[in-house]
PDB file of all heavy atoms in Angstrom:
ATOM      1  N   SER W   1       7.811  19.950  -9.635  1.00  0.00           N
ATOM      2  CA  SER W   1       7.659  19.625  -8.239  1.00  0.00           C
ATOM      3  C   SER W   1       6.910  18.335  -8.023  1.00  0.00           C
ATOM      4  O   SER W   1       7.247  17.538  -7.128  1.00  0.00           O
ATOM      5  CB  SER W   1       6.970  20.787  -7.507  1.00  0.00           C
ATOM      6  OG  SER W   1       5.674  21.004  -7.989  1.00  0.00           O
ATOM      7  N   LEU W   2       5.889  18.061  -8.846  1.00  0.00           N
ATOM      8  CA  LEU W   2       5.153  16.814  -8.758  1.00  0.00           C
ATOM      9  C   LEU W   2       6.074  15.643  -9.106  1.00  0.00           C
ATOM     10  O   LEU W   2       6.077  14.599  -8.412  1.00  0.00           O
ATOM     11  CB  LEU W   2       3.929  16.828  -9.665  1.00  0.00           C
ATOM     12  CG  LEU W   2       3.093  15.559  -9.723  1.00  0.00           C
ATOM     13  CD1 LEU W   2       2.511  15.240  -8.355  1.00  0.00           C
ATOM     14  CD2 LEU W   2       2.004  15.700 -10.755  1.00  0.00           C
ATOM     15  N   LYS W   3       6.853  15.780 -10.158  1.00  0.00           N
ATOM     16  CA  LYS W   3       7.771  14.746 -10.557  1.00  0.00           C
ATOM     17  C   LYS W   3       8.786  14.423  -9.465  1.00  0.00           C
ATOM     18  O   LYS W   3       9.086  13.273  -9.199  1.00  0.00           O
ATOM     19  CB  LYS W   3       8.454  15.129 -11.860  1.00  0.00           C
ATOM     20  CG  LYS W   3       9.367  14.067 -12.451  1.00  0.00           C
ATOM     21  CD  LYS W   3       9.937  14.521 -13.763  1.00  0.00           C
ATOM     22  CE  LYS W   3      10.795  13.433 -14.372  1.00  0.00           C
ATOM     23  NZ  LYS W   3      11.324  13.832 -15.657  1.00  0.00           N
ATOM     24  N   ASP W   4       9.327  15.472  -8.851  1.00  0.00           N
ATOM     25  CA  ASP W   4      10.298  15.257  -7.779  1.00  0.00           C
ATOM     26  C   ASP W   4       9.651  14.547  -6.551  1.00  0.00           C
ATOM     27  O   ASP W   4      10.282  13.685  -5.962  1.00  0.00           O
ATOM     28  CB  ASP W   4      10.928  16.587  -7.323  1.00  0.00           C
ATOM     29  CG  ASP W   4      11.823  17.183  -8.399  1.00  0.00           C
ATOM     30  OD1 ASP W   4      12.267  16.412  -9.297  1.00  0.00           O
ATOM     31  OD2 ASP W   4      12.053  18.405  -8.337  1.00  0.00           O
ATOM     32  N   ALA W   5       8.458  14.960  -6.222  1.00  0.00           N
ATOM     33  CA  ALA W   5       7.789  14.334  -5.082  1.00  0.00           C
ATOM     34  C   ALA W   5       7.493  12.856  -5.333  1.00  0.00           C
ATOM     35  O   ALA W   5       7.689  11.999  -4.475  1.00  0.00           O
ATOM     36  CB  ALA W   5       6.464  15.093  -4.759  1.00  0.00           C
ATOM     37  N   VAL W   6       7.027  12.551  -6.527  1.00  0.00           N
ATOM     38  CA  VAL W   6       6.746  11.148  -6.902  1.00  0.00           C
ATOM     39  C   VAL W   6       8.056  10.341  -6.943  1.00  0.00           C
ATOM     40  O   VAL W   6       8.079   9.195  -6.493  1.00  0.00           O
ATOM     41  CB  VAL W   6       5.987  11.048  -8.192  1.00  0.00           C
ATOM     42  CG1 VAL W   6       5.843   9.605  -8.680  1.00  0.00           C
ATOM     43  CG2 VAL W   6       4.600  11.649  -8.046  1.00  0.00           C
ATOM     44  N   LYS W   7       9.105  10.952  -7.419  1.00  0.00           N
ATOM     45  CA  LYS W   7      10.399  10.276  -7.455  1.00  0.00           C
ATOM     46  C   LYS W   7      10.898   9.934  -6.062  1.00  0.00           C
ATOM     47  O   LYS W   7      11.357   8.837  -5.828  1.00  0.00           O
ATOM     48  CB  LYS W   7      11.389  11.165  -8.186  1.00  0.00           C
ATOM     49  CG  LYS W   7      12.768  10.544  -8.386  1.00  0.00           C
ATOM     50  CD  LYS W   7      13.711  11.450  -9.166  1.00  0.00           C
ATOM     51  CE  LYS W   7      15.061  10.822  -9.312  1.00  0.00           C
ATOM     52  NZ  LYS W   7      15.977  11.727 -10.009  1.00  0.00           N
ATOM     53  N   SER W   8      10.745  10.873  -5.122  1.00  0.00           N
ATOM     54  CA  SER W   8      11.202  10.595  -3.772  1.00  0.00           C
ATOM     55  C   SER W   8      10.315   9.546  -3.095  1.00  0.00           C
ATOM     56  O   SER W   8      10.779   8.717  -2.320  1.00  0.00           O
ATOM     57  CB  SER W   8      11.235  11.896  -2.934  1.00  0.00           C
ATOM     58  OG  SER W   8       9.933  12.387  -2.783  1.00  0.00           O
ATOM     59  N   LEU W   9       9.015   9.538  -3.445  1.00  0.00           N
ATOM     60  CA  LEU W   9       8.134   8.504  -2.886  1.00  0.00           C
ATOM     61  C   LEU W   9       8.507   7.112  -3.452  1.00  0.00           C
ATOM     62  O   LEU W   9       8.547   6.148  -2.675  1.00  0.00           O
ATOM     63  CB  LEU W   9       6.667   8.821  -3.248  1.00  0.00           C
ATOM     64  CG  LEU W   9       5.607   7.859  -2.738  1.00  0.00           C
ATOM     65  CD1 LEU W   9       5.616   7.825  -1.227  1.00  0.00           C
ATOM     66  CD2 LEU W   9       4.266   8.268  -3.257  1.00  0.00           C
ATOM     67  N   ARG W  10       8.855   7.049  -4.720  1.00  0.00           N
ATOM     68  CA  ARG W  10       9.227   5.775  -5.298  1.00  0.00           C
ATOM     69  C   ARG W  10      10.544   5.264  -4.705  1.00  0.00           C
ATOM     70  O   ARG W  10      10.696   4.065  -4.433  1.00  0.00           O
ATOM     71  CB  ARG W  10       9.374   5.922  -6.819  1.00  0.00           C
ATOM     72  CG  ARG W  10       8.048   6.114  -7.528  1.00  0.00           C
ATOM     73  CD  ARG W  10       8.232   6.325  -8.996  1.00  0.00           C
ATOM     74  NE  ARG W  10       8.527   5.021  -9.590  1.00  0.00           N
ATOM     75  CZ  ARG W  10       8.897   4.880 -10.877  1.00  0.00           C
ATOM     76  NH1 ARG W  10       9.003   5.914 -11.630  1.00  0.00           N
ATOM     77  NH2 ARG W  10       9.160   3.705 -11.341  1.00  0.00           N
ATOM     78  N   SER W  11      11.490   6.168  -4.480  1.00  0.00           N
ATOM     79  CA  SER W  11      12.765   5.716  -3.896  1.00  0.00           C
ATOM     80  C   SER W  11      12.588   5.290  -2.459  1.00  0.00           C
ATOM     81  O   SER W  11      13.209   4.334  -1.974  1.00  0.00           O
ATOM     82  CB  SER W  11      13.839   6.784  -4.038  1.00  0.00           C
ATOM     83  OG  SER W  11      13.482   7.919  -3.281  1.00  0.00           O
ATOM     84  N   ALA W  12      11.726   5.961  -1.719  1.00  0.00           N
ATOM     85  CA  ALA W  12      11.429   5.530  -0.338  1.00  0.00           C
ATOM     86  C   ALA W  12      10.737   4.211  -0.297  1.00  0.00           C
ATOM     87  O   ALA W  12      10.990   3.405   0.602  1.00  0.00           O
ATOM     88  CB  ALA W  12      10.599   6.641   0.362  1.00  0.00           C
ATOM     89  N   ARG W  13       9.892   3.949  -1.228  1.00  0.00           N
ATOM     90  CA  ARG W  13       9.190   2.660  -1.312  1.00  0.00           C
ATOM     91  C   ARG W  13      10.188   1.572  -1.577  1.00  0.00           C
ATOM     92  O   ARG W  13      10.153   0.529  -0.930  1.00  0.00           O
ATOM     93  CB  ARG W  13       8.153   2.715  -2.411  1.00  0.00           C
ATOM     94  CG  ARG W  13       7.639   1.302  -2.753  1.00  0.00           C
ATOM     95  CD  ARG W  13       6.820   1.220  -3.936  1.00  0.00           C
ATOM     96  NE  ARG W  13       7.493   1.544  -5.172  1.00  0.00           N
ATOM     97  CZ  ARG W  13       6.953   1.314  -6.348  1.00  0.00           C
ATOM     98  NH1 ARG W  13       5.750   0.747  -6.443  1.00  0.00           N
ATOM     99  NH2 ARG W  13       7.576   1.605  -7.429  1.00  0.00           N
ATOM    100  N   LEU W  14      11.099   1.790  -2.519  1.00  0.00           N
ATOM    101  CA  LEU W  14      12.096   0.756  -2.823  1.00  0.00           C
ATOM    102  C   LEU W  14      13.034   0.484  -1.677  1.00  0.00           C
ATOM    103  O   LEU W  14      13.528  -0.649  -1.513  1.00  0.00           O
ATOM    104  CB  LEU W  14      12.871   1.159  -4.081  1.00  0.00           C
ATOM    105  CG  LEU W  14      12.049   1.143  -5.387  1.00  0.00           C
ATOM    106  CD1 LEU W  14      12.876   1.643  -6.563  1.00  0.00           C
ATOM    107  CD2 LEU W  14      11.527  -0.232  -5.680  1.00  0.00           C
ATOM    108  N   ALA W  15      13.298   1.508  -0.891  1.00  0.00           N
ATOM    109  CA  ALA W  15      14.193   1.337   0.289  1.00  0.00           C
ATOM    110  C   ALA W  15      13.454   0.765   1.483  1.00  0.00           C
ATOM    111  O   ALA W  15      14.101   0.448   2.490  1.00  0.00           O
ATOM    112  CB  ALA W  15      14.790   2.684   0.633  1.00  0.00           C
ATOM    113  N   HIS W  16      12.141   0.639   1.390  1.00  0.00           N
ATOM    114  CA  HIS W  16      11.294   0.139   2.504  1.00  0.00           C
ATOM    115  C   HIS W  16      11.539   0.991   3.742  1.00  0.00           C
ATOM    116  O   HIS W  16      11.639   0.505   4.883  1.00  0.00           O
ATOM    117  CB  HIS W  16      11.532  -1.323   2.822  1.00  0.00           C
ATOM    118  CG  HIS W  16      10.955  -2.225   1.776  1.00  0.00           C
ATOM    119  ND1 HIS W  16       9.719  -2.779   1.881  1.00  0.00           N
ATOM    120  CD2 HIS W  16      11.498  -2.652   0.604  1.00  0.00           C
ATOM    121  CE1 HIS W  16       9.498  -3.547   0.797  1.00  0.00           C
ATOM    122  NE2 HIS W  16      10.535  -3.451   0.016  1.00  0.00           N
ATOM    123  N   ASP W  17      11.612   2.280   3.558  1.00  0.00           N
ATOM    124  CA  ASP W  17      11.838   3.257   4.643  1.00  0.00           C
ATOM    125  C   ASP W  17      10.485   3.919   4.954  1.00  0.00           C
ATOM    126  O   ASP W  17      10.027   4.781   4.205  1.00  0.00           O
ATOM    127  CB  ASP W  17      12.893   4.259   4.258  1.00  0.00           C
ATOM    128  CG  ASP W  17      13.301   5.131   5.388  1.00  0.00           C
ATOM    129  OD1 ASP W  17      12.606   5.165   6.435  1.00  0.00           O
ATOM    130  OD2 ASP W  17      14.353   5.783   5.306  1.00  0.00           O
ATOM    131  N   SER W  18       9.897   3.541   6.056  1.00  0.00           N
ATOM    132  CA  SER W  18       8.556   4.033   6.352  1.00  0.00           C
ATOM    133  C   SER W  18       8.551   5.525   6.659  1.00  0.00           C
ATOM    134  O   SER W  18       7.593   6.208   6.280  1.00  0.00           O
ATOM    135  CB  SER W  18       7.927   3.259   7.533  1.00  0.00           C
ATOM    136  OG  SER W  18       8.679   3.470   8.685  1.00  0.00           O
ATOM    137  N   ASP W  19       9.572   6.015   7.324  1.00  0.00           N
ATOM    138  CA  ASP W  19       9.612   7.445   7.652  1.00  0.00           C
ATOM    139  C   ASP W  19       9.736   8.320   6.375  1.00  0.00           C
ATOM    140  O   ASP W  19       9.027   9.332   6.263  1.00  0.00           O
ATOM    141  CB  ASP W  19      10.785   7.770   8.557  1.00  0.00           C
ATOM    142  CG  ASP W  19      10.594   7.172   9.930  1.00  0.00           C
ATOM    143  OD1 ASP W  19       9.454   6.968  10.324  1.00  0.00           O
ATOM    144  OD2 ASP W  19      11.651   6.877  10.581  1.00  0.00           O
ATOM    145  N   LYS W  20      10.556   7.897   5.424  1.00  0.00           N
ATOM    146  CA  LYS W  20      10.673   8.627   4.166  1.00  0.00           C
ATOM    147  C   LYS W  20       9.420   8.499   3.336  1.00  0.00           C
ATOM    148  O   LYS W  20       9.045   9.448   2.655  1.00  0.00           O
ATOM    149  CB  LYS W  20      11.881   8.110   3.386  1.00  0.00           C
ATOM    150  CG  LYS W  20      13.201   8.559   3.970  1.00  0.00           C
ATOM    151  CD  LYS W  20      14.341   8.084   3.059  1.00  0.00           C
ATOM    152  CE  LYS W  20      15.694   8.513   3.649  1.00  0.00           C
ATOM    153  NZ  LYS W  20      16.827   8.036   2.791  1.00  0.00           N
ATOM    154  N   CYS W  21       8.732   7.369   3.411  1.00  0.00           N
ATOM    155  CA  CYS W  21       7.445   7.206   2.680  1.00  0.00           C
ATOM    156  C   CYS W  21       6.419   8.191   3.223  1.00  0.00           C
ATOM    157  O   CYS W  21       5.715   8.804   2.464  1.00  0.00           O
ATOM    158  CB  CYS W  21       6.964   5.788   2.780  1.00  0.00           C
ATOM    159  SG  CYS W  21       7.691   4.601   1.664  1.00  0.00           S
ATOM    160  N   VAL W  22       6.364   8.291   4.542  1.00  0.00           N
ATOM    161  CA  VAL W  22       5.365   9.160   5.146  1.00  0.00           C
ATOM    162  C   VAL W  22       5.695  10.604   4.799  1.00  0.00           C
ATOM    163  O   VAL W  22       4.797  11.405   4.445  1.00  0.00           O
ATOM    164  CB  VAL W  22       5.325   8.938   6.662  1.00  0.00           C
ATOM    165  CG1 VAL W  22       4.530  10.011   7.385  1.00  0.00           C
ATOM    166  CG2 VAL W  22       4.784   7.552   6.989  1.00  0.00           C
ATOM    167  N   ASP W  23       6.980  10.977   4.865  1.00  0.00           N
ATOM    168  CA  ASP W  23       7.399  12.351   4.512  1.00  0.00           C
ATOM    169  C   ASP W  23       7.129  12.671   3.045  1.00  0.00           C
ATOM    170  O   ASP W  23       6.649  13.741   2.726  1.00  0.00           O
ATOM    171  CB  ASP W  23       8.872  12.566   4.836  1.00  0.00           C
ATOM    172  CG  ASP W  23       9.179  12.535   6.321  1.00  0.00           C
ATOM    173  OD1 ASP W  23       8.194  12.734   7.115  1.00  0.00           O
ATOM    174  OD2 ASP W  23      10.328  12.302   6.696  1.00  0.00           O
ATOM    175  N   ALA W  24       7.461  11.724   2.145  1.00  0.00           N
ATOM    176  CA  ALA W  24       7.239  11.948   0.738  1.00  0.00           C
ATOM    177  C   ALA W  24       5.787  12.025   0.425  1.00  0.00           C
ATOM    178  O   ALA W  24       5.324  12.855  -0.396  1.00  0.00           O
ATOM    179  CB  ALA W  24       7.911  10.835  -0.089  1.00  0.00           C
ATOM    180  N   ALA W  25       4.959  11.189   1.035  1.00  0.00           N
ATOM    181  CA  ALA W  25       3.493  11.240   0.804  1.00  0.00           C
ATOM    182  C   ALA W  25       2.906  12.548   1.333  1.00  0.00           C
ATOM    183  O   ALA W  25       2.053  13.134   0.700  1.00  0.00           O
ATOM    184  CB  ALA W  25       2.825  10.040   1.452  1.00  0.00           C
ATOM    185  N   SER W  26       3.444  13.029   2.463  1.00  0.00           N
ATOM    186  CA  SER W  26       2.975  14.296   3.008  1.00  0.00           C
ATOM    187  C   SER W  26       3.313  15.487   2.088  1.00  0.00           C
ATOM    188  O   SER W  26       2.513  16.331   1.843  1.00  0.00           O
ATOM    189  CB  SER W  26       3.561  14.549   4.388  1.00  0.00           C
ATOM    190  OG  SER W  26       3.109  13.575   5.277  1.00  0.00           O
ATOM    191  N   SER W  27       4.506  15.482   1.537  1.00  0.00           N
ATOM    192  CA  SER W  27       4.906  16.526   0.615  1.00  0.00           C
ATOM    193  C   SER W  27       4.095  16.416  -0.661  1.00  0.00           C
ATOM    194  O   SER W  27       3.754  17.460  -1.272  1.00  0.00           O
ATOM    195  CB  SER W  27       6.414  16.478   0.336  1.00  0.00           C
ATOM    196  OG  SER W  27       6.744  15.305  -0.407  1.00  0.00           O
ATOM    197  N   LEU W  28       3.767  15.219  -1.093  1.00  0.00           N
ATOM    198  CA  LEU W  28       2.956  15.040  -2.286  1.00  0.00           C
ATOM    199  C   LEU W  28       1.547  15.596  -2.058  1.00  0.00           C
ATOM    200  O   LEU W  28       0.996  16.237  -2.941  1.00  0.00           O
ATOM    201  CB  LEU W  28       2.880  13.541  -2.650  1.00  0.00           C
ATOM    202  CG  LEU W  28       2.203  13.169  -3.953  1.00  0.00           C
ATOM    203  CD1 LEU W  28       2.911  13.830  -5.136  1.00  0.00           C
ATOM    204  CD2 LEU W  28       2.219  11.686  -4.095  1.00  0.00           C
TER     205      LEU W  28
END
């Protein structure tokens, strides 16, 4: 679960999608 959360955070960062970054950081 930690690996998946970090993976989604990294992909949101690369996409420069602020909403996905906030969601991924919250799930982390």
Side-chain angles (χ1 to χ4, degrees):
S1 62
L2 178 62
K3 185 176 181 178
D4 291 340
V6 171
K7 184 178 178 182
S8 66
L9 182 62
R10 291 177 75 188
S11 65
R13 167 190 65 168
L14 292 176
H16 289 265
D17 189 344
S18 63
D19 293 332
K20 287 184 182 178
C21 279
V22 170
D23 292 341
S26 297
S27 69
L28 187 60

